[in-house]
Amino acid sequence: MPLTLPEPITDRLINSPLKLVVCQVRFEETASVSDPKTGLALFQSLGGDSGPYPQFSEFRGQQVDITVAPGSPISAQQTQLAGWKFVSDDRAWSVVIQPNSVSLETTAYTTWTADFEARLRAIIEAVVAHVNPAIQIRLGLRYIDVITHQGIESPKDWRGWICESLLGPIMHPEFGSAVLSAQQQLEIDAGDGIKCTLRHGTVLEATNASPAYLLDWDIHTDAAKALDVAEVFTALSAFNHLAVRLFQVAITPQMLEELRRS
Amino acid sequence: METGIWGQARVEPMPALWLADTRRQSGTPSMSGFESDFEGKSFPGQQSILVDADSSQWPTSVVGSLGMLEQLGEALRQLGAKVGFDLAAPAAAVLPAHRQQSGVSALDAVDAIVEMFELPMEAVAAMAGIGRTTPMYWRRTGTSPRPSTVRDLWRLYGTAMSLQAALGTAGTRAWLRSGASSPLALLEAKDLGKFERLVSRVAFNPAYTRAFSAAVDTNAEFDVEVGSGTPARASRRRVRRGRLG
């Protein structure tokens, strides 16, 4: 069944709950990324000291892939990574380029068209110019929304603000009111090889223990293909559009109005 | 230089899903450890975190803590964790002070397990599937093993860290030697997989850990039954705390 969603309201939300946005392009292992000359060339391509990401550092670490499955031993695999990290002065934007991926992450997202897309395009074009990966292995765009609202004291209070279908067990007539927390992960097939992993549920913000509702959207495609910058951005625009539409059906019209209100 | 850890862990709740999904790639990771800003977020499915650390971090302690990812969010909360430094604290606590400012080496991991489990180094090495005198060789020559050599050592270290976080050092030592068929016997039999499953059942079961801690405090003993949830108090015998070897 193709996914059909209503066209979204595209106003910029005054009270946006968007806390973090990450976009990552994975490609085949390209050892030249670790070369300091490559790191420096990438840094200069993005403006160097006077660019938007003037804090330049080596990024060295380990990728840890751990799988836990019933009836099987926990398996862990470590992979050494070496790459580069460029960060804005206010630390709200960071770029990480590794031998098998490039990513842009921000806590200061405004809009796709006016800001994020242009930044990402400059980064990916720099990677193509200096690293020249051939294959796009995975493309992911992740939006993390954290919704808070006055008067929310328990999970059931999200009724009327979050779509009841997502609230699920919280709406149970017998035990719903006793639910202290609920989280769920959904895998959504959006068609054309695009999938969305939605992790959602009630959370407490660690800083002040205030109740919040998390909507963590990871829209992605896993199909390997030739890396083409134009196609990457066509796909990402579609991801962005899908994310907006999904978000707006995950919350109630009442909540959307609250978020639009100044 | 900045160092970091990408931690991408997958927990598959249902065997059918797991079988169908083993080729799925891990998700789009965030750099900021953003997920750790929330309490009570413990998703049963795929978990992806990215821990951004500097050189004083303990990569393997993160591996260790991630090793019991059935309830990652809860585990992080119980460790009082912001992902990264706080996760490292249990590892640091069992190592000599002069080792607490650098990354965990394989030798550090052996030493930590020796200290926490109160076992001879040779016994720990055997449990981790490495030569009984190999750690001594690392110490003498300053060499580092190949990752494939110490894969089981890190698994063992991970479970040790998880146990310590849940039961404390004394509790861990007591638990290892409790019951008619003790968890330690599983390690002696080199059944690390079964040991990990047992640890996952107790380390993230608050009822168990509370009850066990109370039992340790009163020198009571619990029978350890693989597959049981909350332990049953078995007797008032003192916990046997002998050393192997």
Side-chain angles (χ1 to χ4, degrees), chain A residues 2 12 14 34 42 62 67 101 121 123 131 138-139 149 165-166 171 186 193 205 220 254 258:
Chain A
R12 187 177 165 194
I14 303 297
S34 303
L42 288 163
Q62 295 177 347
T67 302
S101 70
R121 185 179 294 277
I123 293 161
V131 180
R138 185 184 188 277
L139 188 58
H149 193 267
S165 304
L166 288 183
M171 294 294 101
L186 306 178
E205 290 189 286
H220 59 276
Q254 185 182 1
E258 288 274 321

Side-chain angles (χ1 to χ4, degrees), chain B residues 175 202 205 207-212 222-225 228-234:
Chain B
W175 178 82
V202 304
N205 182 336
Y208 190 105
T209 53
R210 276 196 301 272
F212 192 88
F222 283 97
D223 272 341
V224 177
E225 296 173 13
S228 64
T230 305
R233 178 164 286 187

Side-chain angles (χ1 to χ4, degrees), chain A residues 19 26 57-58 60-62 64-66 68 74 81 85 98 105 138 142 183-184 204 206 214 218, chain B residues 2-4 6 8-10 12 26-28 31 34-35 37-41 43 46 52 66-68:
Chain A
K19 301 298 183 193
R26 283 187 211 161
S57 61
E58 189 176 7
R60 190 177 294 279
Q62 295 177 347
V64 184
D65 294 300
I66 300 176
V68 183
I74 297 164
L81 297 174
K85 183 175 179 182
Q98 296 182 89
E105 174 169 331
R138 185 184 188 277
R142 186 173 171 194
Q183 296 93 31
Q184 188 181 42
L204 294 177
L214 179 76
D218 186 358
Chain B
E2 186 160 1
T3 61
W6 291 77
Q8 297 174 342
R10 303 196 307 175
E12 307 299 344
S26 50
T28 307
M31 287 261 310
F34 188 83
E35 293 85 345
D37 287 344
F38 306 106
E39 294 182 2
K41 177 174 175 285
F43 293 98
Q46 179 180 356
D52 191 7
L66 291 175
M68 296 290 114

